[in-house]
């Protein structure tokens, strides 16, 4: 299963490497929301939460859907700027329909859900559909979606204020600390691109990113089967010091593709106990269950959401979830009339770093 990005066209400008303050802040916010994905940053996350002003703490939890399960596309810019303020100014220029549709995509918990025309801001049926999806995610998601649809201007202003408060609370210090690492990575990538071409530059990004034999596509080894195109705009690659192990690929229809990648490779993995592998590999030896786990790795989902995301019947999803639960790879929690399933990171991690990385990127 792969994501294919068509880059056919003139060679010049097909790849761009640049740092983005907003994308790195978003990566940090994801760490704060999902520290289990980032065990090496758990101490940093604990310290940040401990020093967090109460008001900022509340606002981050209210808007965490923009970066927790998946990243809102507008938080990983295709045209990075030198400062966070400049990137937030660009964000302010996005029209309400695009902003709301993108925010609802992440709020409703799955980047396979899109909100095409008519806009939920103007169409009652589209609005009710969005609210139903958000309700299935939980009370906080439903409340955020209601506020967003009722007054997008106010929510957009609050999101910006929250991100600016993050800069003062922790981001500015963290960004200064990683600036040299990111600059070094960019020099390496741009030097490889200039001297040795696209294939060498992609190889230095990740072993999961390669150039197709015909040279007209970038192949990303992820648990999805998707094709997108860069047209004549190219692909932007953004290094991240806080993003590991995620390889974030933004590929919304009509949008310039963006890849946020770990600036440095992770350390060597630890040996996996054979008895643990023997207990759980049978449950994972099915492509459908791997697809479901990939979605669950980004956050809890209901049976119905998983069925919709992967175009499966609810009974089929239930059977696969039952196998995964018997293997101890999932947890389940009831929220009102919905049961949400979540990945058990501890047990999955015991199967080896390579598997967990494949599920999370």
């Amino acid at each position: 299963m792969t994501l294919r990005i068509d880059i056919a066209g003139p060679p010049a400008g097909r790849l761009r490497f640049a740092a983005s303050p907003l994308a790195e802040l978003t990566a940090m916010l994801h760490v704060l929301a999902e520290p289990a994905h980032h065990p090496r940053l758990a101490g940093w996350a604990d310290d940040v939460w401990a020093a967090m002003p109460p008001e900022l703490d509340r606002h981050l939890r209210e808007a965490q859907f923009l970066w927790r399960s998946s990243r809102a596309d507008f938080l990983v810019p295709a045209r990075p700027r030198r400062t966070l303020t400049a990137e937030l100014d660009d964000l302010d220029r996005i029209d309400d329909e695009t902003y709301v549709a993108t925010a609802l995509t992440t709020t409703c918990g799955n980047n396979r859900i899109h909100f095409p025309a008519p806009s939920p801001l103007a169409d009652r049926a589209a609005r009710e559909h969005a609210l139903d999806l958000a309700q299935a995610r939980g009370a906080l998601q439903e409340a955020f979606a209601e506020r967003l649809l009722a007054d997008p201007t106010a929510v957009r202003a609050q999101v910006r204020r929250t991100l600016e408060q993050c800069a003062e609370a922790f981001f500015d210090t963290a960004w200064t600390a990683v600036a040299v690492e990111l600059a070094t990575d960019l020099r390496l990538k741009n030097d490889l691109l200039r001297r040795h071409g696209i294939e060498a530059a992609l190889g230095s990004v990740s072993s999961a990113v390669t150039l197709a034999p015909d040279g007209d596509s970038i192949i990303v080894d992820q648990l999805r089967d998707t094709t997108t195109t860069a047209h004549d705009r190219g692909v932007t690659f953004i290094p991240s010091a806080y993003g590991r192990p995620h390889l974030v690929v933004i590929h919304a229809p009509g949008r310039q593709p963006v890849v946020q990648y770990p600036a440095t490779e992770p350390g060597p993995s630890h040996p996996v106990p054979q008895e643990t592998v023997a207990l759980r590999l049978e449950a994972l030896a099915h492509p459908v269950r791997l697809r479901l786990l990939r979605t669950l790795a980004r956050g809890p989902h209901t049976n119905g959401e998983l069925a919709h995301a992967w175009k499966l019947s609810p009974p089929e999803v239930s059977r696969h979830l039952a196998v995964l639960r018997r293997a101890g790879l999932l947890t389940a929690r009831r929220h009102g009339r919905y049961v949400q399933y979540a990945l058990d990171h501890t047990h999955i991690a015991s199967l080896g770093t390579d598997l967990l990385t494949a599920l999370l990127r």
Side-chain angles (χ1 to χ4, degrees):
M1 290 179 283
T2 59
L3 166 64
R4 179 182 292 267
I5 304 173
D6 182 2
I7 57 169
R14 286 196 285 180
L15 268 65
R16 178 190 186 191
F17 289 91
S20 165
L22 179 57
E24 191 68 0
L25 171 55
T26 305
M28 294 179 190
L29 292 174
H30 174 74
V31 173
L32 293 175
E34 288 286 4
H37 290 189
H38 310 270
R40 283 190 263 183
L41 292 171
W44 173 84
D46 289 342
D47 290 343
V48 171
W49 280 122
M52 189 82 68
E55 181 185 13
L56 179 56
D57 183 305
R58 177 169 59 85
H59 288 311
L60 285 180
R61 297 185 191 279
E62 288 175 345
Q64 65 180 329
F65 326 111
L66 298 178
W67 49 75
R68 182 170 188 167
S69 297
S70 58
R71 315 292 169 84
D73 293 354
F74 50 65
L75 295 180
V76 187
R79 297 181 59 202
R81 307 290 190 180
R82 293 182 62 86
T83 68
L84 179 63
T85 297
E87 291 185 327
L88 292 176
D89 288 343
D90 285 345
L91 182 55
D92 286 343
R93 297 185 184 98
I94 298 175
D95 61 82
D96 280 349
E97 286 74 15
T98 301
Y99 188 102
V100 168
T102 302
L104 287 175
T105 295
T106 56
T107 302
C108 294
N110 198 301
N111 59 10
R112 293 175 175 271
I113 297 172
H114 296 287
F115 295 91
S119 167
L121 289 175
D123 183 82
R124 181 173 180 178
R127 174 190 176 89
E128 292 303 317
H129 176 60
L131 291 175
D132 285 345
L133 291 172
Q135 183 188 50
R137 306 295 300 140
L140 286 176
Q141 287 93 324
E142 182 182 14
F144 181 83
E146 288 178 343
R147 291 196 303 273
L148 182 65
L149 289 169
D151 192 348
T153 299
V155 171
R156 293 181 65 163
Q158 182 57 64
V159 169
R160 172 160 186 157
R161 284 195 298 272
T162 298
L163 296 176
E164 290 172 336
Q165 290 169 347
C166 287
E168 181 178 351
F170 61 87
F171 173 72
D172 286 347
T173 299
W175 178 249
T176 300
V178 301
V180 173
E181 177 186 350
L182 297 182
T184 300
D185 182 89
L186 289 173
R187 282 195 297 271
L188 170 64
K189 301 296 190 295
N190 284 309
D191 185 64
L192 284 170
L193 181 62
R194 183 176 61 256
R195 293 175 179 270
H196 302 287
I198 291 177
E199 187 171 13
L202 292 177
S204 69
V205 167
S206 168
S207 60
V209 182
T210 57
L211 186 67
D214 61 9
D216 286 340
S217 297
I218 296 172
I219 307 299
V220 184
D221 182 19
Q222 291 193 325
L223 290 171
R224 65 177 77 183
D225 287 308
T226 307
T227 300
T228 189
T229 181
H231 299 292
D232 59 350
R233 293 170 294 180
V235 183
T236 300
F237 286 82
I238 299 175
S240 174
Y242 281 78
R244 186 181 306 112
H246 302 300
L247 189 65
V248 178
V249 185
I250 303 299
H251 58 94
R255 193 183 191 281
Q256 180 179 347
V258 184
V259 179
Q260 186 183 38
Y261 64 93
T264 55
E265 289 292 331
S269 60
H270 298 286
V272 180
Q274 292 185 7
E275 60 272 23
T276 304
V277 175
L279 286 171
R280 297 193 167 97
L281 276 183
E282 183 178 356
L284 298 173
H286 196 293
V288 171
R289 289 197 281 272
L290 285 177
R291 291 187 180 101
L292 296 177
L293 284 174
R294 183 185 186 278
T295 300
L296 292 170
R298 283 151 173 77
H301 286 73
T302 65
N303 183 92
E305 289 172 330
L306 293 169
H308 176 79
W310 292 104
K311 294 180 171 58
L312 301 169
S313 69
E316 184 180 5
V317 172
S318 294
R319 289 193 294 270
H320 287 299
L321 293 179
V323 172
L324 294 168
R325 289 192 69 188
R326 285 195 296 270
L329 300 177
L330 297 182
T331 61
R333 172 178 288 186
R334 178 170 291 279
H335 291 272
R337 59 192 177 98
Y338 299 98
V339 175
Q340 293 186 336
Y341 298 89
L343 187 72
D344 189 316
H345 288 84
T346 301
H347 289 161
I348 287 288
S350 69
L351 292 173
T353 302
D354 289 343
L355 176 59
L356 184 58
T357 300
L359 294 174
L360 293 176
R361 68 169 175 250

